[in-house]
Amino acid sequence: MEKNIPDATKNIESNIDLVQTTTHLVERIVALVYATRSKAAVYLNAETTLLYWSIGDYINSELKQKNQIQYGKQILVTLSQELTQNIGKGFSYSALTRMIKVAETFNQQNIATVSQQLSWSHLIELSSIDDQLKRTFFMQSAISHKWNVRFLRDQIDGQLFERTAISKNPETTIAEALEQWNATEQITPDLVFKNTYVLDFLNLPASYSEKDLENALISNLERFILELGNGFAFLERQKRISIDAIDYHLDLLFYHRKLKRLVAIDLKLGKFKPEHKAQMELYLRWLQKNDMQADEQKPIGLLLCSEGNTEHIELLMLEEKDIKVAQYLTELPSKEWFADKLHRAIEIAKNNTL
């Protein structure tokens, strides 16, 4: 014979069921709302971008068709006033000129794709870059690494492309690497490593040792990783490498997630010397034998030197040895300095291939 369940107990169970059901509904509805809002934001951003591009493209086409390019400024001033009066904010003279610039920079096919991934503000920044390969590099970087507009602007101002190792390569090589990155999301070491690193956040004295440099980098590890670039993870400092009862110490050991490679970093005062290459090769072979995991690629080395000597590096063909050599700067130089350094590096690379 079943026992009668008291009404109070039934009420408690009923309330528990009610709370659980309500909680479940709230969780699902909140998730649905956020998902829809996210899709709506992407859709709205894309539609706004396409609208602004269409306006810029239409204005540009009309001015060219009627041979009125020379009167463009006068026409845009009047057009801005009329559109603002009829539609509202968002159509200032500068806004219209940006629409035209973006429309001149991106064709209809490109804008349809890019508008799904980057905001209108991103495209304004990118349209300020005249060199197509450089612009493609920053566009792909912003998409792949999900850069906000401010960070993109900082990287452009900081001459990131000019400092990236791939910048001194022939245009066809750069284009192929960027195309591969876009199509497969596979990134090459030359797109990861730089030929110059700016470490102006270390506040080092005028005279410092390699140990002082290492300590300063560890103390400012977050900023150092930001300067290294996306995908780097710090593993160890003064990594002990024992060979034939002799202990060597690698300054810094990192891992790069996209490359799936250990990254050995050795710090050097002065210029690169050929014996640095032999030492790094020893470290890399030891890491490959003792630390490399089954799903990883071979370790890669980065020698950070306080002075640059590009010709030595080119002649030793270190790129084929999975060893990168870069100069580090403790103060931010002028853009002209970077441009001159890149020009000289390109000339040396051309002469060595002749």
Side-chain angles (χ1 to χ4, degrees):
M1 180 176 179
E2 293 184 1
K3 296 181 180 179
N4 292 327
I5 300 175
D7 290 341
T9 303
K10 289 183 179 179
N11 289 337
I12 291 174
E13 293 177 349
S14 178
N15 287 337
I16 292 174
D17 291 340
L18 181 61
V19 169
Q20 290 176 341
T21 301
T22 304
T23 301
H24 178 70
L25 286 171
V26 169
E27 290 175 350
R28 295 300 300 273
I29 292 172
V30 167
L32 180 61
V33 168
Y34 276 119
T36 304
R37 281 180 179 175
S38 178
K39 291 179 182 178
V42 171
Y43 176 78
L44 181 60
N45 171 70
E47 288 300 305
T48 301
T49 296
L50 292 175
L51 171 63
Y52 289 159
W53 180 90
S54 298
I55 292 171
D57 184 60
Y58 179 71
I59 293 172
N60 201 30
S61 299
E62 285 292 302
L63 294 180
K64 286 181 179 178
Q65 185 178 344
K66 297 180 180 179
N67 295 317
Q68 293 180 326
I69 294 293
Q70 65 270 30
Y71 304 112
K73 183 175 182 180
Q74 181 180 345
I75 292 172
L76 288 181
V77 169
T78 305
L79 180 61
S80 171
Q81 293 171 349
E82 293 291 332
L83 289 175
T84 301
Q85 183 177 348
N86 283 273
I87 303 175
K89 295 180 179 180
F91 297 95
S92 64
Y93 171 79
S94 58
L96 292 179
T97 58
R98 287 194 291 266
M99 293 177 195
I100 293 172
K101 180 65 175 176
V102 172
E104 290 174 338
T105 303
F106 298 92
N107 61 36
Q108 189 169 13
Q109 182 178 358
N110 286 341
I111 201 69
T113 302
V114 176
S115 64
Q116 304 289 329
Q117 300 164 303
L118 297 175
S119 70
W120 177 250
S121 297
H122 282 97
L123 300 187
I124 292 173
E125 293 296 329
L126 291 169
S127 66
S128 67
I129 304 172
D130 293 328
D131 183 89
Q132 183 178 350
L133 283 176
K134 181 177 177 180
R135 184 171 60 248
T136 303
F137 167 81
F138 279 111
M139 181 179 71
Q140 187 59 34
S141 296
I143 292 172
S144 180
H145 304 314
K146 295 179 172 56
W147 288 349
N148 60 36
V149 177
R150 182 177 179 180
F151 194 81
L152 170 62
R153 187 183 303 119
D154 288 343
Q155 297 309 304
I156 295 173
D157 291 342
Q159 305 283 290
L160 176 61
F161 177 75
E162 288 79 0
R163 295 193 289 127
T164 302
I166 201 171
S167 61
K168 69 180 188 300
N169 290 325
E171 291 187 355
T172 52
T173 303
I174 300 174
E176 288 171 2
L178 292 173
E179 185 177 348
Q180 177 185 334
W181 188 11
N182 179 48
T184 66
E185 296 187 359
Q186 291 183 350
I187 193 167
T188 66
D190 276 353
L191 285 168
V192 171
F193 292 94
K194 304 171 186 175
N195 52 48
T196 307
Y197 291 85
V198 179
L199 310 178
D200 56 343
F201 49 84
L202 297 180
N203 297 317
L204 288 165
S207 178
Y208 61 90
S209 66
E210 290 177 0
K211 193 67 177 178
D212 293 332
L213 175 61
E214 181 187 330
N215 288 335
L217 289 174
I218 294 299
S219 298
N220 295 272
L221 188 58
E222 183 177 356
R223 295 187 68 176
F224 181 44
I225 290 176
L226 285 174
E227 175 58 15
L228 285 175
N230 291 84
F232 281 91
F234 175 66
L235 298 182
E236 198 171 344
R237 68 180 295 190
Q238 289 298 304
K239 170 76 173 178
R240 190 175 71 174
I241 294 176
S242 297
I243 303 172
D244 290 334
I246 299 174
D247 283 348
Y248 300 90
H249 290 88
L250 171 65
D251 290 332
L252 302 168
L253 182 63
F254 284 80
Y255 180 76
H256 194 276
R257 295 176 61 200
K258 289 285 187 180
L259 295 176
K260 293 187 176 180
R261 301 174 80 162
L262 290 168
V263 180
I265 299 181
D266 228 17
L267 308 172
K268 302 295 180 183
L269 294 183
K271 294 183 177 182
F272 166 79
K273 298 176 182 178
E275 53 263 34
H276 297 160
K277 167 179 172 283
Q279 184 182 40
M280 179 57 77
E281 285 178 334
L282 187 68
Y283 292 163
L284 295 180
R285 287 170 183 166
W286 188 93
L287 289 170
Q288 182 178 353
K289 179 181 178 181
N290 297 281
D291 270 17
M292 191 176 82
Q293 301 298 309
D295 61 338
E296 294 177 358
Q297 303 297 315
K298 290 194 303 181
I300 191 167
L302 173 61
L303 288 161
L304 275 179
C305 304
S306 61
E307 298 179 49
N309 49 337
T310 307
E311 191 168 7
H312 256 95
I313 298 163
E314 293 290 344
L315 288 172
L316 286 169
M317 296 184 293
L318 293 183
E319 303 298 325
E320 299 176 9
K321 302 282 185 181
D322 286 328
I323 298 175
K324 307 291 180 182
V325 181
Q327 182 180 3
Y328 67 86
L329 306 172
T330 55
E331 294 181 0
L332 179 65
S334 65
K335 292 183 179 181
E336 290 74 21
W337 185 92
F338 282 123
D340 180 63
K341 179 180 173 68
L342 175 61
H343 176 73
R344 286 186 285 111
I346 291 173
E347 289 301 313
I348 291 172
K350 284 181 179 178
N351 292 333
N352 287 334
T353 56
L354 295 177

